[in-house]
Amino acid sequence: MPLLDDGAMNLVRCKTCVMPNTRPDTPFVDGECSACVSYRARKAIDWQQRMATLTQILDTAKRNSSGFDCIVPSSGGKDSTYQVTRLILLGVKPLIVTATTCHLTRLGRANIDNLARYATTIEVTPNRDVRRALNRKGLELVGDISWPEHASIFSAPLRMAVHLGIPTIFYGENPQEAYGGPLGSEQAEQMTRRWISEFGGFLGLRAKDMVDSEITERHMKDYIPPSQDELDRVGVRAYFLGQFEAWDSRRNAERAMQCGMRTTMMPPTPGNWWVFENLDNAQTGLHDWFMFLKYGFGRGCQQISVDVRSGYIERERALRWVEAHDGLFPESYAGVSVYDVLGACGINVATLRRTAERFRNPNVCWRQMPKELQPS
Ligand SMILES: [Zn+2]
């Protein structure tokens, strides 16, 4: 059975990697996706100049009285571990701010603890009952069980920056540069409030839309970035470290493993290509599966496309892998059964099935689902 009815969905894959043109806001130029165009443009970038700019930013960052030079928003994963250890090598003292994931895995716990060997770590854990309610609403309203996860990843570090008076924050890569996005977005050096509202994964859903009889406006404070006035009062600037030195996921993973990050022998689920990414949140499988149902590509397709660009794997081999694996149902993720993931947030199988059907592009075929989830 083909993955997609190519004609009906008008699916065309990038001529360089294997990403389809069904990714939202990712225009193709002469048959090539914007991530491939950005990757090639890296060769023309004066990286020495960028590093000189970074050095200036770090010098300014040190001029605050908080006791820390900058904040690194972290999951304990490969990029976070790289960011923290790289910044320490560059002579700064980071504070790690970890926004707790929706369903932390044992490996995720171990990697957060490992990274805490290198720098002081603050873990921000919003009210768990509210969080579970947000998981349910995120799934039903926008087809994203991980809506609160993404909201807190962007809001928690900014809120801590304002609270503790630490003006400089370093996120990892610019996602539009690494994975594609609207033309020009790949050049963003800073993550602003406007960037968060456009690319922060809110899917058109505002925090105040979540307020109901169970969830109050005060509960939602954990998921809202500080106001521009609050950010300006501390002079908060959130940078993408990947705009100052070329981002390389495999290099980051190798460095992270040398620094004690644990990974697995096999990817967390068969629809993933990398063994070293997103190991901390058991909900990630469902999040990625819904992306496949909506747009016709899964996380594995994005991961293997990065490896095609860097020359790690040939395009034809990648295409065969994508045809065999992309969109496979995540019966388990990082060792956690999907039924445990659903049960933890009070979602039953019928709701999952109904929601999946509602968000599925009609041209995306169901693939290898457990019997109870298969359409009749
Ligand atoms: Zn491409």
Side-chain angles (χ1 to χ4, degrees), residues 14 16-19 32-33 35-36 309:
C14 170
T16 303
C17 69
V18 290
M19 280 301 293
E32 218 175 22
C33 74
C36 284
R309 272 173 226 129

Side-chain angles (χ1 to χ4, degrees), residues 12-16 27-34 36-37 40:
V12 176
R13 288 192 190 272
C14 170
K15 67 182 181 186
T16 303
F28 275 27
V29 178
D30 295 332
E32 218 175 22
C33 74
S34 61
C36 284
V37 174
R40 210 173 31 254

